[in-house]
Amino acid sequence: MAKWVYMFTEGNAGMRNLLGGKGANLAEMTSLGLPVPQGFTITTEACTQYYEDGRMINDEIMDQIMTAIFKMEEITGKKFGDKENPLLVSVRSGARASMPGMMDTILNLGLNEEVVEVLSAKSGNPRWAWDCYRRFIQMFSDVVMEVGKKYFEELIDKMKKEKGVIQDVDLSAEDLKELADQFKAEYKEKIGRDFPADPKEQLMEAIKAVFRSWDNPRANIYRRDNDIPYSWGTAVNVQMMAFGNMGETSGTGVAFTRDPATGEKHLMGEFLMNAQGEDVVAGVRTPQKIDQLKEVMPEVYDQFVDICNKLEDHYRDMQDMEFTIEDRHLYMLQTRNGKRTAQAALKIACDLVDEGMITEDKAVAMIDPRNLDTLLHPQFDAEALKAAEPVARALGASPGAACGKIVFSAEDAKAWAARGEKVVLVRLETSPEDIEGMKNAQGILTVRGGMTSHAAVVARGMGTCCVSGCGDITMDEANKKFTLAGKEYSEGDFISLDGSTGNIYDGQIPTVDATIAGEFSRIMGWADKYRTMKVRTNADTPADAKKARSLGAEGIGLCRTEHMFFEGNRIDAFREMICAETVEEREKALEKILPEQQKDFEALYEALEGNPVTIRFLDPPLHEFVPTEEEDIRKLAETTGKTVERIKELIDALKEMNPMLGHRGCRLAVTYPEIAKMQTLAVIRAAINVKAVHPDWRVCPEIMIPLVGDAKELKFIKNLVVEIADREIAAANSKLKYEVGTMIEIPRAALTADEIGAEADFFCFGTNDLTQMTFGFSRDDAGKFLNAYYDTKIFENDPFARLDQTGVGKLMELALKLGKSANPNLHVGICGEHGGDPTSVEFCHKLGLDYVSCSPFRVPIAKLAAAQAAIAQR
Ligand code: PEP
Ligand code: MG
């Protein structure tokens, strides 16, 4: 028979998966001999079973709970519903990973009309007894029966008004008794039944409510944001109550062993006398600083400090603790590794190493790589953010915070920024034409598009905040306005975006700049010692490449050459190329582009100082580049000597039903080999020149052919690349080496990777397209239906953000195996957006990839994740 329930005396900290963090630590504190009110933990597996049984607690689990209650009564010497010594308990959730405030808690369970009288008489403190009772009715109604809190709060406010008092603590025993009656009447009115009096019935209902709360909307969102699988479930802790609300010799509080904001080593926390549970954080009364406990109750304070030190020594990490003082007796209700800011995380890790508490690899392993985002991008001022309510939430596509005036076009973004305004660019979706506007914006908000949409990918590359796919917006671009959450926003109105959470706020929230603390490079240095996988960057411009180098990139894994065509007036020549009707016309236009491309590549090689540079040949469908404005069309007609009508016809002819599956990738080079020829010339000539200036650098361009699905496509293009490259190298009398490889981003490429591998020097997984084509989800439109997939639990995560290891991952594994079987020297990386996602990085490490490549600002995150994967595998 499975064991579903553990007494606190039966568990330990190592049983976190089964007992949840809270349960495991309550057991551990018990075995350390700390004062912990005793009780039991119902396992996370019982929660999973509850859902499997159709949201029911089965008989076996029920029996074990009953046995545990019996044991608990023995241990505590109290009994549920007893007239002499009644047992009251708290019922709290506790998942494997802490999810503060996401799930439910019920206190003072076990009270009814009779028990409250017993408590009142025995304690000689009727006020306390009735306070407990009214709190219990309130919490039970709210959490278990979902009668909104507000009804009870209204009754409390009414009572306080009638009695002429301001604070809850000023209500008398009689008042609280009267309130408890009113609460029960409210309950009966809303639910249609009497408030349950049997403590065991109360308990079973409360346990079910905690299990249910695993699936509440805020928990679901929190899990998705923090990579916590739904399948983990939550444990439930049933613990004897310790009462902080028994009068002025009782109290409750929370404390951290180090400052969770800065990491400074000193005890931090707050407490409130004559209070319970949420009172400390609810803000109704102002709590006192933990240091003041020294004056209020010196012995308790000393005992508490002792326990804090003991716990930190034991767990070797900063602890976040909850405690209660019941009539001068201290009780520990919880300890856990405290949540902390990124700065604090780095400082604490380094300090713990310096204090000899942990080793360097432990320090590397204890930092959440996702947290580093906040060090690299501006963030909202924490205080101002507390006061703000989001008006909507969409995809957090590129982290950081942005606040600015709304503009609706890239040109406006540029113009407004030039006159010193801070702007947020709001678009239906962005296209390559918007790049300059995007660069000039504090943040970007789009109505359409997913995590690998143009806006998302480009914004991440720039390190600019982006929220994408906000389908709640009704857009009126023509009139420069949109409606969101019932409000109309016009050009110039302020809006604030959080690119990490996807939250959108009305008006201005001040931002603070990113600060990289001194400990950052220390931790990264340690990470580099353990990491076996290289980390490259996706960079399209020398400026991005330099930024990425400064953040530790060890090469370029993807240069999307198309992004280079939007600077200055290069786009004009490019448009001439697109609208060419003969090979000669196209070659003429390409000749204009060649020197510009060559210059770009020279600057990239320079920026990379001999580290590998992978240059991908033109990939996107050509119509992305055609002019849309009348004026641009006229200009193109003039330079090409064609009529405006003809240009419009040519533009029309480029339109496709399904551009993502259309005339793009290597198909462009197959139809217009002259494009690939020009790009080869630019890549090779630039490399020859830079190698000549820096003979000691290892300049070895890696030419990457996109969207290959058949080995013959690759062979066709490779032949022309090799012919031109070898000719150029010979003519220059250079010893330059170069490689030709391909992206693996079409399922067929993965399935035939042996044939393709025979032709390739390297593979790079383009998991954006590979995800798109494996699922058959458009990467630009998936945002429209993914929410429904989350709600129905078909998906827990966005497969464009976090690699689908089961499906897409299987194709990668196969491609790697087949590719290496054909070419043992094949080197393999990933350059889809997943290359910067910690769990996907871990997967790539396990697969045995040589490198991951990600946008510049994610390089430190990927490095840390790669080191953690290596440490975990030792
Ligand atoms: C990919 O498909 O994963 C990739 C990196 O290419 P792009 O995003 O440019 O299509
Ligand atoms: Mg691709």
Side-chain angles (χ1 to χ4, degrees):
M1 190 171 61
K3 186 165 166 67
W4 305 104
V5 182
Y6 288 75
M7 305 308 291
F8 292 169
T9 45
E10 293 177 302
N12 61 56
M15 294 165 76
R16 188 180 190 95
N17 293 0
L18 191 62
L19 302 180
K22 190 177 289 164
N25 288 338
L26 282 167
E28 187 79 7
M29 286 199 291
T30 300
S31 69
L32 289 174
L34 301 184
V36 175
Q38 286 302 293
F40 57 88
T41 303
I42 307 165
T43 64
T44 52
E45 287 175 358
C47 176
T48 315
Q49 191 62 43
Y50 161 87
Y51 281 102
E52 269 176 28
D53 292 338
R55 298 184 178 234
M56 291 244 315
I57 298 183
N58 69 32
D59 291 346
E60 192 176 289
I61 299 175
M62 189 86 95
D63 277 355
Q64 295 191 17
I65 295 173
M66 290 305 160
T67 309
I69 294 172
F70 182 72
K71 285 188 192 157
M72 187 179 180
E73 288 176 338
E74 269 185 357
I75 296 170
T76 60
K78 299 181 178 193
K79 252 177 133 68
F80 263 148
D82 196 64
K83 309 277 181 310
E84 281 299 311
N85 206 358
L87 173 66
L88 300 192
V89 297
S90 66
V91 182
R92 292 157 169 244
S93 60
R96 258 195 232 186
S98 81
M99 297 170 56
M102 293 301 132
M103 290 180 290
D104 293 330
T105 291
I106 296 137
L107 303 179
N108 308 335
L109 187 140
L111 279 167
N112 55 31
E113 286 294 319
E114 287 172 351
V115 172
V116 71
E117 293 293 0
V118 176
L119 234 52
S120 166
K122 285 200 67 130
S123 65
N125 188 346
R127 195 202 167 276
W128 161 70
W130 286 102
D131 188 43
C132 290
Y133 193 31
R134 69 93 193 163
R135 283 171 190 265
F136 171 55
I137 303 169
Q138 199 173 342
M139 273 196 174
F140 188 92
S141 308
D142 174 31
V143 171
V144 181
M145 305 312 282
E146 292 166 19
V147 179
K149 258 194 203 127
K150 68 170 193 226
Y151 300 106
F152 302 97
E153 275 156 12
E154 276 165 20
L155 289 170
I156 299 175
D157 287 345
K158 197 162 137 249
M159 176 71 74
K160 286 198 285 199
K161 213 174 200 173
E162 275 169 25
K163 302 291 167 184
V165 301
I166 293 172
Q167 302 217 354
D168 294 5
V169 279
D170 297 326
L171 291 171
S172 69
E174 276 309 306
D175 301 336
L176 292 166
K177 187 172 179 178
E178 167 63 28
L179 259 185
D181 284 342
Q182 290 178 6
F183 282 7
K184 278 195 292 185
E186 186 72 33
Y187 180 94
K188 189 162 184 186
E189 193 200 309
K190 289 277 178 325
I191 302 294
R193 285 195 305 275
D194 282 328
F195 189 82
D198 174 6
K200 287 189 182 145
E201 184 190 336
Q202 294 171 353
L203 180 62
M204 292 321 286
E205 289 304 320
I207 292 169
K208 278 191 241 165
V210 172
F211 282 159
R212 260 199 323 268
S213 70
W214 177 248
D215 195 26
N216 74 29
R218 63 178 193 279
N220 282 327
I221 290 175
Y222 186 90
R223 268 199 303 277
R224 211 158 54 236
D225 287 349
N226 291 277
D227 280 347
I228 302 172
Y230 180 73
S231 59
W232 282 3
T234 180
V236 182
N237 299 291
V238 179
Q239 187 175 26
M240 185 184 81
M241 283 298 303
F243 295 100
N245 58 340
M246 275 183 115
E248 288 310 316
T249 53
S250 302
T252 187
V254 292
F256 295 88
T257 54
R258 299 177 191 228
D259 187 329
T262 63
E264 292 298 330
K265 188 176 180 183
H266 60 85
L267 191 59
M268 252 203 78
E270 293 178 323
F271 72 102
L272 208 50
M273 297 312 281
N274 197 11
Q276 190 173 63
E278 291 193 338
D279 293 354
V280 178
V281 282
V284 186
R285 283 189 283 151
T286 311
Q288 293 175 277
K289 294 260 172 295
I290 196 79
D291 293 345
Q292 289 168 280
L293 187 62
K294 204 186 228 160
E295 280 121 58
V296 180
M297 249 176 236
E299 320 78 59
V300 171
Y301 178 79
D302 289 344
Q303 187 192 358
F304 183 64
V305 171
D306 247 20
I307 290 176
C308 291
N309 292 337
K310 194 166 183 179
L311 284 174
E312 207 188 72
D313 268 4
H314 185 72
Y315 286 100
R316 303 200 165 238
D317 194 358
M318 182 261 268
Q319 294 300 294
D320 163 6
M321 300 149 301
E322 275 180 36
F323 63 94
T324 281
I325 305 162
E326 180 182 307
D327 196 18
R328 298 183 183 280
H329 292 285
L330 176 66
Y331 292 100
M332 297 303 294
L333 303 186
Q334 163 161 315
T335 192
R336 62 183 170 199
N337 296 342
K339 296 253 178 245
R340 60 204 76 178
T341 63
Q343 265 107 335
L346 297 175
K347 176 158 174 54
I348 291 171
C350 288
D351 286 355
L352 288 172
V353 170
D354 294 342
E355 290 161 25
M357 295 266 273
I358 57 170
T359 47
E360 290 172 3
D361 57 337
K362 284 263 163 17
V364 169
M366 76 193 287
I367 289 163
D368 183 346
R370 286 164 306 195
N371 240 351
L372 296 183
D373 263 348
T374 58
L375 292 178
L376 302 166
H377 302 278
Q379 301 293 316
F380 286 129
D381 175 78
E383 280 310 304
L385 188 63
K386 259 189 218 157
E389 259 303 308
V391 289
R393 184 179 157 113
L395 292 174
S398 176
C403 168
K405 290 183 178 171
I406 295 169
V407 291
F408 288 86
S409 72
E411 295 80 61
D412 287 341
K414 214 173 137 184
W416 288 44
R419 58 175 201 250
E421 304 260 26
K422 294 197 162 172
V423 297
V424 169
L425 177 62
V426 185
R427 307 275 290 145
L428 270 177
E429 60 201 339
T430 62
S431 73
E433 271 185 301
D434 294 330
I435 290 209
E436 281 205 77
M438 292 169 79
K439 268 191 203 156
N440 283 288
Q442 305 294 306
I444 297 144
L445 171 61
T446 70
V447 179
R448 300 195 202 119
M451 294 298 277
T452 58
S453 63
H454 177 268
V457 170
V458 173
R460 268 200 293 278
M462 294 172 175
T464 301
C465 158
C466 174
V467 173
S468 70
C470 182
D472 293 341
I473 288 182
T474 312
M475 186 63 140
D476 181 1
E477 270 184 328
N479 293 305
K480 298 193 172 180
K481 55 187 187 191
F482 66 84
T483 314
L484 177 62
K487 182 176 165 179
E488 191 174 278
Y489 291 83
S490 303
E491 187 178 57
D493 290 349
F494 273 104
I495 195 163
S496 300
L497 308 177
D498 186 329
S500 307
T501 59
N503 281 339
I504 302 164
Y505 300 88
D506 183 28
Q508 298 185 65
I509 306 177
T511 57
V512 284
D513 281 341
T515 46
I516 296 187
E519 286 86 8
F520 183 83
S521 51
R522 234 181 131 195
I523 296 276
M524 292 318 293
W526 293 335
D528 287 346
K529 277 206 241 168
Y530 298 101
R531 186 165 54 88
T532 51
M533 209 167 41
K534 295 273 182 205
V535 176
R536 298 194 190 182
T537 190
N538 297 354
D540 312 323
T541 63
D544 287 353
K546 279 201 190 104
K547 180 84 221 168
R549 286 284 294 151
S550 75
L551 291 167
E554 297 164 301
I556 291 183
L558 171 64
C559 166
R560 292 177 165 101
T561 47
E562 57 270 19
H563 289 173
M564 298 175 141
F565 294 126
F566 288 91
E567 301 253 328
N569 48 12
R570 290 177 203 191
I571 187 72
D572 297 338
F574 200 76
R575 284 173 175 161
E576 283 174 42
M577 191 271 290
I578 292 168
C579 289
E581 292 180 79
T582 62
V583 174
E584 291 70 38
E585 272 180 28
R586 202 168 303 110
E587 281 176 343
K588 205 167 124 220
L590 286 166
E591 256 168 44
K592 293 188 198 167
I593 301 172
L594 173 60
E596 301 288 345
Q597 278 257 284
Q598 187 178 324
K599 256 197 287 174
D600 284 338
F601 296 148
E602 280 169 8
L604 275 190
Y605 299 139
E606 288 283 351
L608 266 292
E609 301 165 310
N611 287 289
V613 176
T614 310
I615 291 171
R616 182 180 73 183
F617 278 8
L618 196 66
D619 181 39
L622 294 180
H623 71 76
E624 279 193 12
F625 301 91
V626 298
T628 46
E629 304 288 325
E630 277 297 320
E631 199 188 310
D632 291 335
I633 294 175
R634 227 185 14 257
K635 195 163 135 202
L636 183 57
E638 265 168 35
T639 32
T640 53
K642 297 180 199 286
T643 63
V644 167
E645 287 65 40
R646 183 66 195 142
I647 295 286
K648 285 188 176 166
E649 279 167 19
L650 290 168
I651 291 173
D652 255 1
L654 284 168
K655 289 221 173 82
E656 293 179 309
M657 295 301 284
N658 211 336
M660 277 291 184
L661 302 178
H663 193 190
R664 60 172 287 219
C666 66
R667 298 154 209 171
L668 291 171
V670 172
T671 38
Y672 305 131
E674 49 281 9
I675 301 180
K677 285 183 192 160
M678 181 280 284
Q679 293 204 291
T680 307
L681 282 177
V683 167
I684 297 297
R685 285 181 185 168
I688 291 172
N689 289 350
V690 174
K691 192 172 170 53
V693 182
H694 302 283
D696 52 325
W697 286 1
R698 189 184 174 275
V699 180
C700 171
E702 297 174 10
I703 294 176
M704 182 154 75
I705 312 301
L707 229 64
V708 163
D710 191 305
K712 290 201 230 48
E713 290 174 308
L714 177 61
K715 194 155 194 297
F716 175 83
I717 299 161
K718 187 178 144 186
N719 283 345
L720 63 93
V721 168
V722 169
E723 189 193 320
I724 292 172
D726 288 354
R727 197 180 62 214
E728 287 293 313
I729 294 168
N733 208 7
S734 165
K735 291 203 165 53
L736 182 79
K737 296 264 174 294
Y738 66 94
E739 293 186 351
V740 183
T742 181
M743 299 189 73
I744 300 289
E745 49 185 348
I746 290 187
R748 193 181 188 282
L751 297 170
T752 60
D754 44 354
E755 292 174 22
I756 295 175
E759 295 297 330
D761 294 317
F762 64 90
F763 282 174
C764 190
F765 288 107
T767 43
N768 302 335
D769 275 309
L770 193 58
T771 301
Q772 167 167 262
M773 294 192 219
T774 302
F775 278 101
F777 290 171
S778 152
R779 44 199 271 202
D780 289 337
D781 299 310
K784 281 193 191 136
F785 52 80
L786 280 179
N787 275 335
Y789 273 56
Y790 303 142
D791 293 347
T792 48
K793 306 277 177 339
I794 295 173
F795 281 4
E796 286 184 50
N797 303 94
D798 182 344
F800 289 103
R802 187 175 171 195
L803 193 75
D804 159 46
Q805 300 180 7
T806 325
V808 177
K810 199 181 247 175
L811 282 174
M812 290 169 70
E813 198 180 344
L814 178 71
L816 192 68
K817 197 168 122 227
L818 291 178
K820 292 238 176 183
S821 73
N823 174 5
N825 294 326
L826 192 81
H827 61 95
V828 184
I830 178 176
C831 62
E833 289 306 297
H834 307 92
D837 168 64
T839 50
S840 309
V841 171
E842 185 190 7
F843 178 76
C844 292
H845 169 88
K846 285 191 192 145
L847 220 52
L849 297 198
D850 298 297
Y851 67 89
V852 297
S853 186
C854 56
S855 52
F857 287 90
R858 290 168 97 183
V859 166
I861 297 172
K863 283 184 140 189
L864 191 58
Q868 292 181 347
I871 290 168
Q873 217 182 30
R874 281 190 311 178

